[in-house]
Amino acid sequence: MDQVEKQRPVILMVDDDEKLLAAVRRTLSGCFEFVTHTDGHAALDWLAENRDRTDLIISDLVMPALDGISFLKQSARMAPSIHRVLLSGNVSSLSLREAINQAMVIRVLAKPVAVSVLKDAIERILNAEAAVKKTVAGPSAVMVNNAIDRADFHTVLQPRFRASDLGLCGAEVLCRMPTLEKEFGIDEIIESCQDNPVINRLGSQLMALMVDQAPRYSALLGDEANLAVNISAFSLKTPQFFELVIRFYEKMRMRGVKVSFEIPERQLVPNDLEMLANAARLRERAIPLVIDDFGSGNNSLDLLRQEVFAGIKLDRDLVRGTMTDFLDDAFVEWIAKVGSKLGLSVSAKGIESAKVAEKLQVYGITELQGFHLGAPIPLEQWEETAGMSLRASG
């Protein structure tokens, strides 16, 4: 029993709501070891003796003896490496800044908070921390190159929708590698070769495939034949690949298909002059370049100041957090306004429910994408579905 106890993450939770603490202990004791206090001073005394075995600290904002932000600020000085979460029914912008900048809070959860929501937030934080420490072998550029040699890759299309009326407005072309995906996720497969010449080879193969399929895209989507496709920052800075991108864009345009390119934020650095110069060249040619996974890194706002991007696509975890996290929700609402003022498209992926879609519509997001609206499917399957709809209506 003692060994099992040691294996469970230890969560220090401070809240004056005894019923919530009891529900948390009762419901989540099988997943985590909860140490709960209603008094912030007592919690700090416990933390001083147990900081080495504590994995997460959660605190209510309003408490009688010591308010939540003061408690979290003191815990940050005592144990700076332990993540902190603030619970609040209503938090002012001043308190929010204090929580972020001084208490180093990484999540703000809205109260009343369901135990299931709390569990999900805890697991996300701990899993993200574990992913940073994880050192197991993953996919490699050599594996990707071998998959290209075997032609063991194909594309799928994920539909994109206007936020205003949820009408179809295009699709994103995504790469799939069936054999490698038996062991690894597609994101980590692509990540493994993002700084290797093999990413250029994969990109050129996918663009050639898209040129061949362009007439089918046009027939399927008609006026909404607007396709988004990912490229890497490494590829954008390779002169030969950069010229290939321009030729590909023109070929698709002549075939009645508009293309925009997306680069993940984690690959972009605001002082990368070579990347910015080529991004500016694309903008001069009216070739849209979009920041993908916007809000997932530390360069979000600095990148917007470069004025070379046509739009942003919000990170899926950020979008998901709009329903439970004050920080994520406030940032998404604010960035939608900023994007509008700058003349940028602001799209969101990871739409998993109607409630998320409705909230983003209110915020003025331009475009929505996610499994709730439409999952990625092969071109052939989409064509068959469209054909069945036509036969049914005819």
Side-chain angles (χ1 to χ4, degrees):
M1 177 65 72
D2 291 340
Q3 185 65 26
V4 174
E5 288 288 328
K6 291 179 181 178
Q7 291 177 348
R8 290 182 299 165
V10 176
I11 315 295
L12 172 61
M13 184 169 178
V14 188
D15 199 302
D16 64 349
D17 186 345
E18 288 277 15
K19 291 183 179 179
L20 175 61
L21 295 179
V24 167
R25 291 193 300 267
R26 181 176 63 253
T27 308
L28 302 183
S29 60
C31 305
F32 314 106
E33 179 185 347
F34 270 93
V35 177
T36 59
H37 287 275
T38 56
D39 181 273
H41 295 294
L44 288 172
D45 291 340
W46 182 90
L47 182 62
E49 299 294 328
N50 296 274
R51 71 188 78 184
D52 291 338
R53 73 183 192 95
T54 305
D55 296 286
L56 184 66
I57 300 171
I58 303 172
S59 174
D60 187 18
L61 175 63
V62 180
M63 295 186 294
L66 182 68
D67 69 90
I69 293 180
S70 296
F71 165 75
L72 291 171
K73 286 164 63 175
Q74 292 185 48
S75 69
R77 290 192 292 269
M78 184 181 298
S81 63
I82 302 175
H83 290 315
R84 284 163 294 284
V85 174
L86 177 66
L87 304 179
S88 175
N90 185 22
V91 58
S92 68
S93 58
L94 181 62
S95 296
L96 193 59
R97 286 197 297 272
E98 186 179 6
I100 298 169
N101 297 328
Q102 298 183 41
M104 305 301 288
V105 167
I106 66 166
R107 289 285 188 274
V108 180
L109 298 181
K111 291 190 76 175
V113 60
V115 175
S116 60
V117 171
L118 185 62
K119 178 176 182 291
D120 181 68
I122 293 171
E123 288 177 340
R124 286 183 185 282
I125 294 169
L126 296 181
N127 288 340
E129 182 73 9
V132 172
K133 298 177 181 178
K134 192 176 180 181
T135 58
V136 297
S140 67
V142 173
M143 293 180 184
V144 176
N145 197 57
N146 291 339
I148 298 173
D149 286 340
R150 299 191 305 269
D152 188 21
F153 66 91
H154 65 273
T155 61
V156 293
L157 297 174
Q158 182 163 25
R160 297 152 48 196
F161 299 88
R162 289 185 301 275
S164 58
D165 60 359
L166 296 185
L168 182 69
C169 64
E172 181 177 2
V173 179
L174 301 168
C175 178
R176 292 292 182 263
M177 295 185 163
T179 301
L180 282 179
E181 287 186 65
K182 292 178 182 178
E183 298 184 59
F184 311 106
I186 188 62
D187 288 341
E188 61 178 330
I189 293 171
I190 301 300
E191 188 80 14
S192 71
C193 60
Q194 69 170 20
D195 295 322
N196 188 287
V198 73
I199 194 68
N200 293 347
R201 185 182 181 208
L202 178 61
S204 62
Q205 294 278 340
L206 292 175
M207 286 192 288
L209 179 61
M210 289 176 64
V211 170
D212 288 340
Q213 294 180 340
R216 297 168 63 186
Y217 298 142
S218 183
L220 177 66
L221 299 171
D223 293 338
E224 305 304 335
N226 303 304
L227 299 183
V229 62
N230 272 268
I231 60 173
S232 73
F234 179 91
S235 297
L236 185 65
K237 294 188 291 185
T238 305
Q240 297 86 348
F241 192 91
F242 180 80
E243 296 301 326
L244 179 63
V245 165
I246 294 174
R247 292 197 300 273
F248 164 71
Y249 178 85
E250 294 298 334
K251 287 179 181 179
M252 296 296 284
R253 191 166 65 93
M254 288 188 293
R255 288 163 174 78
V257 181
K258 300 175 184 176
V259 178
S260 61
F261 299 93
E262 299 180 356
I263 298 184
E265 182 190 324
R266 62 183 176 275
Q267 297 182 20
L268 297 171
V269 181
N271 60 359
D272 188 340
L273 300 181
E274 188 177 6
M275 181 277 296
L276 292 173
N278 281 348
R281 291 175 62 191
L282 291 181
R283 188 175 182 88
E284 290 169 1
R285 292 172 175 266
I287 300 176
L289 184 63
V290 172
I291 305 173
D292 194 13
D293 298 328
F294 187 85
S296 62
N298 299 318
N299 297 319
S300 304
L301 301 184
D302 287 335
L303 289 169
L304 293 186
R305 293 189 178 98
Q306 306 305 319
E307 298 183 353
V308 295
F309 300 100
I312 61 175
K313 178 180 282 188
L314 297 170
D315 178 65
R316 60 168 52 87
D317 285 340
L318 189 64
V319 170
R320 187 183 293 117
T322 58
M323 301 305 295
T324 58
D325 191 308
F326 275 125
L327 294 180
D328 290 348
D329 188 40
F331 181 77
V332 168
E333 183 178 14
W334 177 76
I335 204 64
K337 295 177 181 177
V338 171
S340 177
K341 289 184 178 180
L342 295 177
L344 301 174
S345 65
V346 182
S347 59
K349 62 182 180 181
I351 307 300
E352 297 176 353
S353 70
K355 289 184 177 180
V356 174
E358 290 167 2
K359 173 171 279 196
L360 295 180
Q361 286 175 312
V362 172
Y363 288 169
I365 300 299
T366 311
E367 187 179 296
L368 303 176
Q369 179 181 326
F371 279 76
H372 172 70
L373 300 171
I377 59 174
L379 174 59
E380 295 76 11
Q381 184 177 339
W382 198 342
E383 289 174 323
E384 176 62 24
T385 302
M388 292 173 61
S389 298
L390 286 174
R391 289 192 292 273
S393 62

